[in-house]
Amino acid sequence: MARARFGGALPLLTGIGAGFLAAVLWLDAPVPDAAPEPQQRMPSRQPNAAPSSDRLPWAAWIERRDGGPTTLAEILRIDGDFEQTAALYELARAADEDELQRLIAEADALTNGLDRRAALSILYARWADIDPDGALAFAQDSGSSHTAAALPALFHGWARRDLEAAVAAASGLPDALRRLAGASILHAREELPGDVRRDVARRLAIQHMLPELEMQRLLEQAERDPAAAWQAALAESGMTRQQRLGAVVQKWAQQDPHAALTAVAALGSSPLRQGLEQQLVHRWAERDPQQAVDWVMSQPPSPQQAQLASMALARLARVDPRGAFAVAQSLQGRSQALALQGVVLEWAQHDPAAAAEAAEQVGNRPARHGMLFGVASAYAQHDLEGALQWAQRLEPEEGAMAVSVVFGALAQRDPLDATARIAGLTDETLQAHAASALASHWAELDPAAAARWAENLPDDELRRAVIGNVMRIWSQYDRPSALRHAENLALPAERDAALMAMLQAQPPDAGFAASVFERLSDPAQRKEAARMLYFGLREVDPAQAERYRELAGSVDPGWAPAPSVRTVIGIHQ
C-alpha cells in the first residue's frame, strides 16, 4: 500500500475534491522536530508482477471470501494499487472509533514506511470526520511516530468543516506540531481572503510560514491557470512581486512560452522584464532548446538578446553541439563571443575533444583563450592523457595555459603522479608552467611536501620561482611554519625569493613584515622590499612606513611592486 496507491484514489472516493489530496501530499514536506520515519524494509511488489494464486482483484477477492477485507493484511493481498486504495477507504468508511483504533494499530506495525504513513493518513482523516478531538488526543497519546501522518490529514478535514475549532485546537499544540497543523489548515482553506489567512497565521504564530505557503498556493494556481496566477503576482509589491512573477513565469514557460513572453513584454523596458525573460528562456530552453533558440534569434540585436542567445544555445549544445556552434558563429561581436563560450563549455562537459577542436576555430583570440581554459578543465576530468596530448599541440601561450590547468587538476587528484608526468613534457616552457601549477595546487593540500619537491627542481630560475610560489600560499595559512622553512633553505637566493613571496602574499602587518625583512640578505631584494613595505604601510603605520622609505632611498610615486611569482610564471587563478 504505497502512499501513491492510497493518495491516487482520494478525490474519487472521498468526495471532497483534490484539496484533500494536497493534504496527503503535504506529507512530503519536512516536519520540524518529528521523529524519523522507519526505513523501508519490506520490498514493494513490482507493478507488472504476475498475481499469485492468493492475489485477486477486489471484486473477485470479495466474492471468493464472501465479504470484504477486514484487516490491512487482507487489503495488501488484493491485486492492484487502485483497488487496494479503494478497499482501505471502504473499510475506513464503515469503521467506528474502536475499529479505527484497531486499524491504526495494524498500520503502525507496517514495515514499509510509505505504506504506514499513507494508511495512517487515511485512517486519521476518517476519524476526523467522526470525532476530531478524539482523533487528536489519540494521535498525541501515540507519540511523534503518528503526528507526521495524522496531523496533516486530521487538520485538513477539520478546517474544512469547522475552521474556528481547528484553529483553537491547533493553537494548544507544542510548537512543532502547531506549525504542522497550521500549515495544513491554511492549505485546506486556500479560498480564505488574505486578511483572514493572516489572522489565522497570527493566532497560530506561524506568520513566518505565510510567504512559503502563499508561494505554494500560487504555483498550484500557475499549473491550472498561469494567466490568473500572473495577475495575482502582479498585485504584489516589492521583492515579493518579483519573486512570485519569476516563479509563475517559469511554470508558464513549460506550458505556453509565447503567452508568457507576451505577458512579460507588457512590463515595458525594465530590469524586471529582462530578468523575467532570462528565467523564461532558461526554462523554455530546458524543455525545447531549438524553439527557444529560434525565438531568441528572431529578436533584434541587443545586450539582452546576446544574454538570451548564450543561455539558449548552451542548452541546445547538450543535444546538438555542432548546430549550436554554427548558430553562435553567425552572431557578431560581443554576442558571438558570449554565445560561443557558452556552447563550447557545455559541449566540453560530454565531448571535450570535439569542443577543443571547435574552440581552436574561433578567431577572436581573447574569447578563444577563455574557451580553451574551460575546455582544458573539462578535458582533464574526462581524459587526462588526451588532455595532455592536446595541450602540447596548441600554440605556445595557449598551450602553457592548458598545461597549467591540466596539471592543476592532476595535482588535486594525485600530486605524485603529476611530478612523474612533468618529466615527460618535452618543452621546457610547458615544464615550467606544469611545475608551477602543480606546486600551487599541492601547496593547498600539503605545503611542506610541495616545498620539498620544489627544492629538487634542476633549473635554478624555475626552482626559485616555484619555491616562492609554494611559500606565498603556505604563509597565508601558517606563517610560523612557512617562515621556519624559508630560514632553513640552503641557498641565499632561494631563501630571499621565498621571503619576498611571503611579503607579497600578506596584507600590511608591520610586525610580521619586520621579521621577514630583517631576514633578507640581498641588497637589491631589501631595497625592493622596503619600497613595497613603504607603500603597504603608509596608511596603517606611517612611522614604520617612513623607516622603510628611508631604507629604500628615493621612492618614485608611480612605482609599483614587482609582479608576484605566480604572475611571472604565467599561472592564473
Side-chain angles (χ1 to χ4, degrees):
M1 286 185 297
R3 186 190 48 193
R5 304 173 205 169
F6 291 153
L10 283 170
L12 174 64
L13 297 175
T14 62
I16 59 176
F20 187 54
L21 176 59
V24 176
L25 294 181
W26 176 250
L27 294 175
D28 288 333
V31 180
D33 305 327
E37 198 61 41
Q39 294 297 312
Q40 178 174 330
R41 295 185 296 274
M42 182 175 67
S44 299
R45 176 176 58 83
Q46 295 299 315
N48 297 322
S52 69
S53 59
D54 198 34
R55 189 179 293 280
L56 300 171
W58 184 18
W61 197 95
I62 294 173
E63 180 179 351
R64 179 171 172 176
R65 288 163 177 76
D66 298 323
T70 59
T71 67
L72 295 184
E74 290 177 342
I75 288 175
L76 281 170
R77 289 157 57 190
I78 295 173
D79 188 50
D81 296 344
F82 179 86
E83 294 200 344
Q84 286 186 3
T85 304
L88 178 58
Y89 271 102
E90 183 64 22
L91 181 59
R93 185 186 66 80
D96 59 17
E97 292 187 46
D98 290 339
E99 182 72 3
L100 285 170
Q101 289 188 31
R102 181 185 67 77
L103 292 170
I104 286 172
E106 190 179 355
D108 208 23
L110 292 175
T111 56
N112 184 311
L114 293 178
D115 285 354
R116 175 182 166 279
R117 293 184 70 185
L120 287 173
S121 175
I122 292 172
L123 293 169
Y124 272 106
R126 171 56 182 159
W127 198 347
D129 286 344
I130 301 172
D131 179 11
D133 288 299
L136 177 59
F138 186 83
Q140 289 183 280
D141 289 343
S142 299
S144 60
S145 63
H146 279 213
T147 52
L151 263 64
L154 197 163
F155 277 95
H156 194 280
W158 200 348
R160 283 178 175 272
R161 289 188 305 279
D162 190 341
L163 176 64
E164 184 60 33
V167 172
S171 65
L173 295 173
D175 289 348
L177 302 185
R178 187 186 68 252
R179 292 193 291 269
L180 181 60
S184 299
I185 289 170
L186 291 175
H187 270 292
R189 298 301 302 271
E190 290 184 344
E191 82 287 355
L192 293 173
D195 58 339
V196 177
R197 291 174 62 81
R198 287 189 292 273
D199 181 62
V200 169
R202 178 190 59 76
R203 292 170 62 188
L204 296 176
I206 58 170
Q207 299 96 318
H208 64 286
M209 297 175 64
L210 268 180
E212 181 180 352
L213 294 172
E214 294 299 323
M215 178 67 83
Q216 290 176 2
R217 184 169 67 155
L218 184 70
L219 292 177
E220 290 168 5
Q221 183 183 26
E223 293 282 0
R224 304 187 304 270
D225 187 350
W230 176 262
Q231 292 302 319
L234 279 174
E236 300 290 344
S237 60
M239 287 300 297
T240 299
R241 179 173 182 259
Q242 181 174 334
Q243 291 168 356
R244 295 188 180 180
L245 288 173
V248 171
V249 85
Q250 291 190 58
K251 289 284 186 182
W252 208 349
Q254 295 176 313
Q255 302 173 38
D256 188 348
H258 290 285
L261 284 165
T262 300
V264 170
L267 296 173
S269 296
S270 66
L272 176 59
R273 173 184 172 175
Q274 290 185 345
L276 290 173
E277 276 186 348
Q278 291 176 16
Q279 292 183 56
L280 197 162
V281 170
H282 183 275
R283 184 55 60 90
W284 187 8
E286 288 181 339
R287 182 175 64 87
D288 192 331
Q290 188 61 63
Q291 280 192 7
V293 167
D294 291 343
W295 178 83
V296 170
M297 297 302 292
S298 71
Q299 303 305 300
S302 69
Q304 173 74 342
Q305 193 252 7
Q307 190 72 33
L308 296 177
S310 175
M311 186 184 304
L313 286 167
R315 295 299 181 277
L316 182 60
R318 295 179 181 177
V319 294
D320 182 11
R322 297 188 187 280
F325 187 78
V327 174
Q329 283 187 307
S330 71
L331 297 170
Q332 301 295 320
R334 173 65 178 161
S335 297
Q336 183 193 65
L338 194 62
L340 284 172
Q341 185 170 24
V343 168
V344 169
L345 294 183
E346 181 62 45
W347 195 351
Q349 298 306 310
H350 53 85
D351 190 350
E357 181 181 347
E360 292 175 55
Q361 301 172 19
V362 176
N364 183 322
R365 186 178 180 85
R368 183 177 69 247
H369 194 80
M371 292 176 210
L372 292 175
F373 187 95
V375 169
S377 180
Y379 214 155
Q381 299 299 321
H382 282 77
D383 178 6
L384 182 62
E385 297 292 345
L388 284 172
Q389 293 175 15
W390 163 73
Q392 293 178 80
R393 292 197 302 267
L394 294 172
E395 60 92 13
E397 181 181 351
E398 291 175 344
M401 177 274 298
V403 163
S404 298
V405 173
V406 171
F407 270 88
L410 179 57
Q412 294 176 341
R413 287 154 48 183
D414 190 343
L416 294 178
D417 183 30
T419 63
R421 290 177 182 273
I422 287 176
L425 297 175
T426 57
D427 185 281
E428 292 183 357
T429 301
L430 294 183
Q431 282 187 334
H433 282 79
S436 184
L438 167 60
S440 297
H441 287 85
W442 199 355
E444 300 280 356
L445 303 173
D446 188 346
R452 288 193 298 270
W453 171 77
E455 290 164 31
N456 291 311
L457 290 172
D459 182 84
D460 293 343
E461 184 178 354
L462 176 62
R463 184 173 60 254
R464 287 194 298 272
V466 173
I467 288 174
N469 222 11
V470 172
M471 302 307 298
R472 178 185 63 82
I473 296 170
W474 194 353
S475 67
Q476 292 174 351
Y477 297 99
D478 187 353
R479 283 179 176 178
S481 296
L483 191 56
R484 284 196 299 271
H485 188 92
E487 286 184 298
N488 289 326
L489 290 172
L491 299 178
E494 292 174 5
R495 185 167 58 250
D496 284 346
L499 294 170
M500 285 295 293
M502 293 171 67
L503 283 176
Q504 291 171 331
Q506 302 299 326
D509 181 330
F512 180 71
S515 67
V516 174
F517 181 83
E518 294 305 325
R519 288 169 168 81
L520 289 168
S521 59
D522 180 70
Q525 294 277 43
R526 288 175 63 84
K527 182 170 288 190
E528 182 180 2
R531 291 193 187 99
M532 180 174 64
L533 291 173
Y534 164 69
F535 282 100
L537 294 172
R538 60 182 177 174
E539 299 294 333
V540 296
D541 193 336
Q544 283 292 337
E546 180 61 23
R547 171 176 173 265
Y548 288 115
R549 189 193 65 77
E550 293 173 357
L551 292 172
S554 61
V555 177
D556 181 355
W559 176 89
S564 70
V565 182
R566 190 175 181 84
T567 304
V568 169
I569 211 70
I571 306 303
H572 307 285
Q573 292 277 29

